[in-house]
Amino acid sequence: ARQDYIRNFSIIAHIDHGKSTLADRLIESTGMLTKREMEQQVLDSMDLEKERGITIKLKAVRLIYQAQDGHEYTFNLIDTPGHVDFSYEVSRSMAACEGALLVVDATQGVEAQTLANVYLALDEDLEILPILNKIDLPSQRCDEVVQEIEDIIGLPAADAPRVSAKTGLNIDQVLEAIVRDIPAPNGDEDAPLKALIFDSNYDSYKGVICYVRIFDGQVKVGDTIQMMNTKKSFEVVEVGVNANGHIPLDQLRAGDVGYITASIKEVRDAQVGDTITLKNRPTDKPLKGYKKVSPMVYCGIYPAEGEEYTEIRDALEKLKVNDAALDFEAETSAALGFGFRCGFLGLLHMEIIQERLEREFDLNLITTTPSVIYHVMTTDHELLEIQNPSNLPDPSEIEYMEEPIVRAEIMTPTDYVGAIMELCQNRRGVFIDMQYLEETRAQITYDLPLNEVIYDFFDALKSKTRGYASFDYDLKGYQQSDLVKMDILINQQVVDAFSLIVHRDKAYERGRKICERLTDAIPRHQFAVPIQAAIGSKIIARETIRALRKDVLSKCYGGDISRKKKLLEKQKEGKKRMRSIGNVDIPQEAFLSVLKYD
Ligand code: GDP
Ligand code: MG
């Protein structure tokens, strides 16, 4: 049957283990795209992604493979994002597949995201094919890594292909293993349409492009489709597959992976995880697993001096069209004026959006201290969800507060176990478990308050383990906690953009550090500037930025004219990212410095 010659699979790996490089080799060796047509890293198309070395948006590509059995096979390779912030998208792209290639760097072995991805793949009942990569490197230790895969993951790996995605060595073994070991799809072409949206993005000509896996039935141009969870209907304009660009086809059928366009205006109307069916012949049940993605981390985004509020709104609207997880609404800050409260999946998502706003839209922004969502039970027994510390009710009206807790898995060489436990303990972590995976590697499990994870936890972990530890987390639930709102006063004025919610035991230390940092980040003025941290009316920390001495300025006069010019230019450059609050100039770095913990 037709479907016997289709293989749908994705590639999963810990970051940097070679997923993109292997994808490139598969694309190249199936001859779907010629070398010339193929830019380095076809799948990672966004510039930002290239620089960060991570795949943010997943896509599918169709390959044609002439197998040793003499048949021509259609491979649909579905790329998945590689970061915990995007784990829902990973799970939906896996749901579109029958199998997954598990790439393990033979010099590094199994790491946190290797395992996290394997668990996701097992949840979707995928056939998993381990592949050992980077065997061209002298430091490869294939035999040990095979043992690790068998012991830690429980997959037979003795016969796993040992390849170099870089040089192309043994890639043919991977291609044959895909044909041999990954099951063919077996949908019912005559049943009502049942298609999974595993990705969508916005194209200014075609509207939203839905990347789909057809499980049952067929879809063609002119059909009226319906999104089963959002209930919206659209008329199909184009269907096709992704090979070298979009290739329009007459129809897509059960087993196929391809795209559908239907003049859809926003990705919100074609959400990842939703099921597409035909309006006049619907399937009885949607595919399982649909979840509305919701933000976990919030921050305020405000214009730097001289920037336009409306330009930020236009830019956010454009990004939102293509990002169902990005949330924003207008808010006002006493210190910063008009701006936006934005919600993100996690800190990486937040950084990516900020960077895109600054680079693609050329905006200068001030971002306020990020916050998680707190649950607040008022004395009137009303449950509030608070994601902006400024909206916290007066302490006298609060019965109790709860904060989100994540379960974190950290994989590390055993040398760093002590340092990691100290770090987690410092961040109010609760030790759950530790297992030795082999003599030199351990997996440590902690429950951590998300509010402690969002302050440079990744950076701290990296620096304490020289980059050797890896980290993955899942939201576990909410827990009652002794939390207080801390305000920062600059020149006697509360700057709401700096306000944050902290655990009472941590308040003094955090307050002191923030004051010290602001003292470094804010330039000296003609007058002394006091910086204070306060809980309610109680000052818990204080620093002072001393006044500028007059003769510092006069040094620039008279002498070297080019030096004076440089200084002025530097000041102008700095000005762009300043906000004056009261009569104090606060540069953008000051807002960022609050994020740093240690
Ligand atoms: P991803 O994060 O899993 O997509 O990893 P990449 O494919 O981007 O690869 C990460 C780094 O490892 C890049 O610098 C690649 O050039 C390198 N790399 C990938 N495969 C191999 C390999 O087989 N041998 C060697 N020596 N380097 C490799
Ligand atoms: Mg990659």
Side-chain angles (χ1 to χ4, degrees):
R2 193 184 70 95
Q3 291 179 69
D4 291 343
Y5 301 102
I6 299 177
R7 296 292 180 274
N8 299 318
F9 61 94
S10 56
I11 307 179
I12 57 181
H14 185 77
I15 198 146
D16 283 343
H17 281 205
K19 187 179 79 177
S20 303
T21 312
L22 179 66
D24 287 350
R25 284 301 85 68
L26 295 179
I27 290 167
E28 197 181 58
S29 50
T30 47
M32 189 62 215
L33 302 177
T34 65
K35 262 205 173 114
R36 189 166 40 81
E37 285 167 330
M38 193 180 112
E39 272 216 54
Q40 253 267 284
Q41 310 258 321
V42 175
L43 293 179
D44 290 7
S45 53
M46 292 162 73
D47 277 352
L48 198 63
E49 274 182 57
K50 267 188 205 164
E51 278 174 36
R52 289 173 170 272
I54 52 167
T55 306
I56 298 160
K57 275 313 232 175
L58 42 92
K59 290 225 168 47
V61 62
R62 187 194 66 175
L63 311 169
I64 304 297
Y65 176 57
Q66 210 59 55
Q68 283 166 14
D69 66 9
H71 290 289
E72 189 180 274
Y73 286 81
T74 299
F75 285 177
N76 292 304
L77 164 56
I78 295 172
D79 197 24
T80 59
H83 191 275
V84 286
D85 281 7
F86 303 98
S87 64
Y88 180 64
E89 292 189 6
V90 177
S91 83
R92 291 311 81 203
S93 67
M94 286 186 187
C97 301
E98 276 76 34
L101 310 183
L102 174 66
V103 177
V104 183
D105 183 329
T107 69
Q108 301 292 326
V110 173
E111 301 199 59
Q113 286 160 33
T114 315
L115 265 186
N117 279 309
V118 165
Y119 292 146
L120 287 172
L122 291 175
D123 283 345
E124 303 304 329
D125 291 325
L126 300 193
E127 185 68 35
I128 301 173
L129 301 189
I131 292 165
L132 285 83
N133 188 33
K134 307 199 186 181
I135 62 161
D136 57 301
L137 294 174
S139 55
Q140 60 102 345
R141 41 183 189 94
C142 279
D143 295 332
E144 282 169 51
V145 173
V146 162
Q147 204 57 48
E148 255 179 60
I149 295 172
E150 298 197 336
D151 292 348
I152 302 171
I153 306 179
L155 284 173
D159 297 331
R162 299 178 176 200
V163 311
S164 168
K166 191 171 169 185
T167 66
L169 180 67
N170 294 339
I171 296 302
D172 51 330
Q173 290 180 20
V174 177
L175 293 164
E176 284 299 313
I178 292 167
V179 168
R180 188 184 61 233
D181 297 333
I182 293 179
N186 64 345
D188 181 352
E189 284 187 13
D190 301 318
L193 177 67
K194 198 176 236 175
L196 170 70
I197 305 177
F198 61 86
D199 193 14
S200 59
N201 62 28
Y202 183 79
D203 176 285
S204 45
Y205 296 104
K206 298 179 177 181
V208 175
I209 298 172
C210 306
Y211 295 94
V212 296
R213 158 69 194 272
I214 314 288
F215 280 91
D216 285 326
Q218 334 195 349
V219 60
K220 58 181 191 310
V221 174
D223 285 346
T224 301
I225 51 171
Q226 181 162 43
M227 310 298 173
M228 293 185 79
N229 286 291
T230 61
K231 302 282 185 283
K232 305 234 170 143
S233 304
F234 303 92
E235 192 182 310
V236 175
V237 175
E238 188 178 314
V239 301
V241 296
N242 262 354
N244 188 9
H246 286 155
I247 300 179
L249 296 176
D250 296 335
Q251 59 183 349
L252 293 174
R253 289 184 278 173
D256 286 342
V257 171
Y259 69 88
I260 299 174
T261 72
S263 304
I264 303 169
K265 297 284 185 295
E266 282 200 43
V267 289
R268 226 146 274 260
D269 293 332
Q271 287 181 5
V272 169
D274 207 343
T275 301
I276 300 180
T277 193
L278 292 182
K279 192 170 167 101
N280 55 14
R281 194 190 166 212
T283 182
D284 51 354
K285 263 210 315 267
L287 295 155
K288 68 178 171 68
Y290 173 76
K291 188 170 92 181
K292 198 174 174 305
V293 287
S294 37
M296 298 237 276
V297 176
Y298 286 80
C299 78
I301 292 187
Y302 288 84
E305 211 97 298
E307 291 284 328
E308 281 297 324
Y309 163 86
T310 51
E311 285 170 15
I312 298 181
R313 188 190 54 211
D314 292 349
L316 280 169
E317 252 155 27
K318 281 201 183 105
L319 291 180
K320 185 171 166 167
V321 161
N322 209 354
D323 187 343
L326 172 66
D327 216 10
F328 74 93
E329 57 181 44
E331 74 168 5
T332 46
S333 150
L336 299 175
F338 292 106
F340 300 92
R341 195 82 192 159
C342 301
F344 309 94
L345 294 174
L347 271 204
L348 178 70
H349 188 214
M350 180 173 110
E351 282 171 26
I352 288 168
I353 296 294
Q354 282 170 12
E355 242 176 271
R356 293 189 65 184
L357 288 170
E358 299 213 325
R359 283 203 212 178
E360 292 169 33
F361 298 91
D362 203 21
L363 296 167
N364 281 318
L365 306 172
I366 300 283
T367 49
T368 69
T369 317
S371 171
V372 300
I373 303 174
Y374 295 96
H375 289 172
V376 177
M377 182 59 80
T378 67
T379 44
D380 299 337
H381 298 286
E382 198 186 345
L383 185 71
L384 306 175
E385 293 195 349
I386 300 286
Q387 30 91 341
N388 183 346
S390 303
N391 296 339
L392 198 67
D394 188 81
S396 66
E397 291 163 24
I398 298 175
E399 184 87 36
Y400 62 85
M401 283 176 73
E402 292 179 335
E403 63 178 331
I405 306 288
V406 297
R407 165 122 336 155
E409 307 276 359
I410 301 164
M411 307 266 277
T412 177
T414 43
D415 291 354
Y416 303 112
V417 165
I420 291 171
M421 290 179 70
E422 193 188 324
L423 171 67
C424 291
Q425 226 72 45
N426 264 331
R427 303 292 178 107
R428 299 190 283 127
V430 174
F431 176 82
I432 301 295
D433 186 29
M434 179 164 79
Q435 281 179 5
Y436 284 88
L437 303 173
E438 48 184 316
E439 234 162 84
T440 55
R441 286 166 64 77
Q443 177 177 352
I444 312 175
T445 308
Y446 262 91
D447 282 354
L448 286 159
L450 182 60
N451 123 337
E452 301 280 340
V453 173
I454 65 172
Y455 298 111
D456 78 348
F457 185 85
F458 285 94
D459 291 345
L461 184 69
K462 252 195 239 148
S463 74
K464 285 197 190 323
T465 65
R466 305 198 2 243
Y468 281 110
S470 49
F471 170 70
D472 198 32
Y473 69 82
D474 265 324
L475 185 64
K476 192 187 152 211
Y478 274 77
Q479 213 169 65
Q480 212 163 312
S481 183
D482 188 11
L483 300 161
V484 290
K485 180 178 162 214
M486 181 159 76
D487 291 318
I488 304 294
L489 291 78
I490 294 181
N491 209 13
Q492 317 291 355
Q493 227 186 17
V494 172
V495 178
D496 58 356
F498 286 131
S499 295
L500 70 164
I501 292 171
V502 287
H503 193 269
R504 194 182 298 277
D505 296 346
K506 291 270 163 177
Y508 284 85
E509 196 191 329
R510 287 296 310 271
R512 189 171 48 78
K513 280 191 176 144
I514 289 173
C515 288
E516 279 170 13
R517 249 191 225 105
L518 289 175
T519 310
D520 290 340
I522 297 173
R524 291 165 79 177
H525 287 64
Q526 305 287 359
F527 47 90
V529 180
I531 313 266
Q532 296 159 303
I535 296 174
S537 57
K538 187 174 169 213
I539 303 295
I540 59 168
R542 180 194 166 101
E543 294 278 335
T544 304
I545 305 174
R546 283 181 301 134
L548 201 59
R549 287 192 1 237
K550 297 245 158 47
D551 56 343
V552 173
L553 270 181
S554 63
K555 264 189 200 154
C556 305
Y557 291 94
D560 184 348
I561 186 91
S562 73
R563 187 168 149 230
K564 186 175 150 197
K565 234 181 171 170
K566 245 189 215 151
L567 193 81
L568 285 176
E569 256 158 38
K570 223 172 158 187
Q571 280 174 353
K572 233 166 83 192
E573 193 53 36
K575 262 263 152 48
K576 273 206 283 187
R577 292 166 171 237
M578 289 264 200
R579 284 296 298 248
S580 314
I581 293 171
N583 45 5
V584 179
D585 289 334
I586 305 181
Q588 191 187 38
E589 305 91 76
F591 291 89
L592 297 177
S593 72
V594 178
L595 282 176
K596 294 271 181 280
Y597 202 98
D598 291 314

